[in-house]
Amino acid sequence: MQISPSILSADFANLESELGRISNADWAHVDVMDAHFVPNLTLGTPIVEALAKVSPIPLDVHLMIQDPDRWAAGYAEAGAKSVTFHIEAVADPIKTARAIRAAGARASMAIKPGTDFEPYADLLPELDMVLVMTVEPGFGGQSFMADQMTKVAQVRRAVQRSGGEIWIQVDGGVSADTIGQCAEAGADVFVAGSAVYGADDAAAQVSALRSLAQQHEH
Ligand code: DX5
Ligand code: ZN
């Protein structure tokens, strides 16, 4: 049960100290948006490289960009330890996943709420994680989509069948109120932006979320 707070809800003028607030988390989730795949623009490889140098925990980069085939491995080279591309955006998922792994990071595929998982189940041997989005990607602070829990359970069954050690991440609207159902459905990596950075004590919130997830373990 791992917690990956999203720095999208952090103070962008003070990212080093904002990373320090979540040093007890397992990962720091970094949302890369290009204003094309999603209607928002955040940051790219120069900032990921700078964050990797000062972060007390590994970076979990979530690419919400077009043409991840071209850019994904560069984020691993910049120091990210996990790189997620969207299946709706990638042209060659196998080649892209292999390039991420060759550059030294875990390779992960994200699925938007309206996208079915089943057509992509054969990709599991190439992946270290599947991210099931629980909001439409683009912004923090949106409402959790509980209807995505059937997809989480479906991915969990496919992972069990494939036999690999593949993590299942949920991202969007994850909070103390919603993390339990995610864990019950089979998720084991939990992204939380506003729930963590909106708390006075972010580290205490990380611990609280982790123990809630453990109580509801699949
Ligand atoms: C949304 C991002 C999320 C976002 C989550 O597109 O991928 O990582 O930061 O924020 P919350 O936890 O506030 O929904
Ligand atoms: Zn994200």
Side-chain angles (χ1 to χ4, degrees):
M1 293 292 165
Q2 304 185 67
I3 307 297
S4 185
S6 168
I7 63 168
L8 188 62
S9 294
D11 176 1
F12 268 45
N14 295 288
L15 288 175
E16 183 173 6
S17 62
E18 291 288 75
L19 287 168
R21 291 176 66 198
I22 56 156
S23 60
N24 63 329
D26 301 279
W27 299 84
H29 185 85
V30 180
D31 289 301
V32 174
M33 306 186 188
D34 68 350
H36 291 274
F37 182 70
V38 290
N40 196 1
L41 179 67
T42 55
L43 53 88
T45 44
I47 292 179
V48 167
E49 199 172 345
L51 293 174
K53 287 189 185 128
V54 300
S55 182
I57 52 176
L59 302 185
D60 162 35
V61 167
H62 176 194
L63 297 177
M64 285 159 276
I65 62 172
Q66 287 182 350
D67 199 10
D69 306 67
R70 178 173 173 190
W71 304 108
Y75 285 87
E77 286 157 13
K81 294 298 178 204
S82 177
V83 179
T84 299
F85 57 83
H86 266 269
I87 194 63
E88 302 86 359
V90 75
D92 189 337
I94 293 177
K95 193 173 169 197
T96 302
R98 288 180 182 174
I100 293 168
R101 283 176 163 176
R106 299 173 62 89
S108 161
M109 164 180 91
I111 316 171
K112 294 208 289 184
T115 304
D116 285 336
F117 165 71
E118 211 50 53
Y120 308 107
D122 289 350
L123 294 170
L124 285 179
E126 303 287 342
L127 299 170
D128 299 297
M129 186 169 81
V130 175
L131 164 52
V132 177
M133 291 300 302
T134 42
V135 296
E136 286 297 335
F139 301 93
Q142 301 182 80
S143 299
F144 179 77
M145 296 170 70
D147 61 351
Q148 296 303 304
M149 295 303 96
T150 51
K151 192 189 291 173
V152 171
Q154 185 186 25
V155 177
R156 174 53 65 200
R157 288 192 296 273
V159 163
Q160 268 152 2
R161 277 197 304 273
S162 89
E165 215 246 280
I166 301 166
W167 300 344
I168 302 175
Q169 185 176 66
V170 283
D171 179 10
V174 175
S175 69
D177 293 332
T178 58
I179 197 168
Q181 56 188 293
C182 298
E184 273 161 16
D188 50 15
V189 187
F190 307 88
V191 177
S194 47
V196 169
Y197 277 104
D200 288 336
D201 187 340
Q205 184 65 15
V206 167
S207 301
L209 288 172
R210 192 187 281 116
S211 69
L212 279 168
Q214 283 161 352
Q215 284 164 35
H216 292 267
E217 193 161 351
H218 175 76

